[in-house]
Amino acid sequence: MNTDYETVRKIGDVLNDPKEPLAGRFRALFTLRNLGGQTAIDCISKCFGDSSALLKHECAYCLGQMQDKGAIPALESVLRDENQETIVRHEAGEALGAIGADSVLDILEEFQHSEIQEISETCQLAIQRIQWLHSQKKHDKSSKLSANPFESVDPAPPAEETTIETLRERLLDEKLSLFDRYRAMFALRNHNSEESVKALAEGLQCSNSALFRHEIAYVLGQMQHKVCVPQLMESLKKLEENAMVRHECAEALGSIAQDESEDILKEYAKDKERVVRESCEVALDMCEYEQSGDLHYADGLIKVQEAKA
Ligand SMILES: [Fe+2]
Ligand SMILES: [Fe+2]
Ligand SMILES: [Fe+2]
């Protein structure tokens, strides 16, 4: 798509305007991600100065998904910045892994022993993802891997094909490395059946890593299967649960868009954790979009064009 500099900047202005409603800023962000290019990257990077951790972490996520090396300097400085919230720094680390360039290994190694568990685990996973990419280049084994029907760049490759029961056991085995458990997670996600959703939802109870539980909620949101709504609700309601996990449960409920999710999202839109409140707000907007059948969720470009006309 050929979108001129001025138009991209205008969408960037919506993203970076704290007076705009959060849902509209999210839509502008996804529009920029879809457009790509350095101007879009610069507009997204500018947003790291915002006060919303939710929005900033989503900016980092989008920069990772774009897989453009032009975003590396901004992501590195976010990962380094101790004034950024953990959820934002985690997502910056993960995004560096998603870009997958060798040049990011130094900074990932520097933070792989961070005393903040979400950050150290993220960096370890990102390093292993890059190492895995290297091993793939040497021997082409990729054919044994299931395809990802969701078009996301994931923090780990899927495990080689095996039964759902074997994958479930690996997923829930807290003695295995996080990387191996993530590989089982993404293989189950790719399986995309009710049985695999149920196995994944059990992962919300695994106690040793909040990062792991939040990723489970993320993939359940991708799969949009209603069978896991009760488990997602249970984790959102748990006030002692890590806010990063509750945030991801709220967004997953929003993307599954059951009538029953609406009530709970409205309730937790008043949560004491800002990141949870804002996730519910954005999730309610996604709910509305899923229910309307509107194809233009990332409608920032349409809005700017309408304003021009
Ligand atoms: Fe992520
Ligand atoms: Fe995340
Ligand atoms: Fe998230």
Side-chain angles (χ1 to χ4, degrees), residues 57-58 87 91 214 247-248 251:
H57 108 294
E58 206 68 31
I87 186 173
E91 212 64 47
H214 111 294
H247 130 73
E248 216 61 68
E251 290 198 349

Side-chain angles (χ1 to χ4, degrees), residues 11-32:
I11 301 165
D13 290 345
V14 176
L15 169 64
N16 283 296
D17 184 353
K19 292 190 292 298
E20 288 282 338
L22 195 58
R25 299 177 75 190
F26 263 78
R27 288 174 181 230
L29 170 60
F30 294 126
T31 306
L32 291 170

Side-chain angles (χ1 to χ4, degrees), residues 9-252:
R9 289 307 296 248
K10 280 199 182 117
I11 301 165
D13 290 345
V14 176
L15 169 64
N16 283 296
D17 184 353
K19 292 190 292 298
E20 288 282 338
L22 195 58
R25 299 177 75 190
F26 263 78
R27 288 174 181 230
L29 170 60
F30 294 126
T31 306
L32 291 170
R33 177 192 66 185
N34 295 344
L35 290 171
Q38 193 60 46
T39 311
I41 289 172
D42 294 343
C43 293
I44 296 172
S45 304
K46 192 177 162 196
C47 198
F48 289 125
D50 200 78
S51 69
S52 166
L54 184 74
L55 183 62
K56 289 185 291 184
H57 108 294
E58 206 68 31
C59 286
Y61 172 77
C62 287
L63 290 176
Q65 295 298 305
M66 290 160 85
Q67 293 192 297
D68 185 327
K69 288 186 184 152
I72 290 176
L75 290 167
E76 288 192 339
S77 70
V78 171
L79 177 56
R80 262 183 210 295
D81 185 354
E82 290 179 8
N83 294 316
Q84 293 284 4
E85 296 81 356
T86 297
I87 186 173
V88 183
R89 296 176 69 200
H90 135 70
E91 212 64 47
E94 190 171 87
L96 290 167
I99 295 170
D102 289 344
S103 63
V104 304
L105 282 169
D106 282 347
I107 188 168
L108 292 173
E109 276 159 15
E110 194 182 325
F111 287 95
Q112 69 169 327
H113 302 299
S114 163
E115 68 278 18
I116 303 171
Q117 192 184 345
E118 293 92 322
I119 293 175
S120 57
E121 287 176 342
T122 300
C123 293
Q124 287 160 21
L125 284 166
I127 292 168
Q128 289 175 89
R129 177 175 188 273
I130 296 171
Q131 288 167 343
W132 180 85
L133 289 172
H134 278 286
S135 72
Q136 280 311 97
K137 274 184 203 145
K138 283 189 205 131
H139 353 254
D140 185 27
K141 292 184 288 191
S142 49
S143 53
K144 283 188 209 149
L145 304 181
S146 52
N148 172 6
F150 301 98
E151 292 177 3
S152 51
V153 183
D154 300 318
E160 286 181 19
E161 292 199 52
T162 175
T163 62
I164 291 189
E165 192 41 42
T166 306
L167 292 170
R168 179 187 163 276
E169 276 165 22
R170 277 189 216 160
L171 179 82
L172 303 176
D173 186 347
E174 301 200 357
K175 289 188 293 298
L176 288 182
S177 75
L178 208 50
F179 190 70
D180 286 330
R181 296 173 69 201
Y182 266 52
R183 293 197 66 177
M185 188 191 309
F186 291 109
L188 285 166
R189 194 267 324 264
N190 293 354
H191 203 277
N192 206 13
S193 62
E194 183 166 330
E195 201 190 345
S196 69
V197 172
K198 283 183 183 159
L200 284 164
E202 285 184 67
L204 287 172
Q205 305 300 328
C206 287
S207 58
N208 70 343
S209 166
L211 190 79
F212 173 86
R213 294 194 299 280
H214 111 294
E215 200 66 26
I216 290 276
Y218 170 79
V219 302
L220 291 174
Q222 286 186 302
M223 296 171 89
Q224 298 184 301
H225 199 299
K226 61 179 179 351
V227 76
C228 63
V229 165
Q231 293 93 320
L232 289 169
M233 284 187 179
E234 193 190 322
S235 290
L236 174 57
K237 284 181 189 162
K238 248 190 238 164
L239 300 183
E240 68 282 12
E241 175 57 287
N242 185 304
M244 196 161 100
V245 181
R246 296 179 65 221
H247 130 73
E248 216 61 68
C249 290
E251 290 198 349

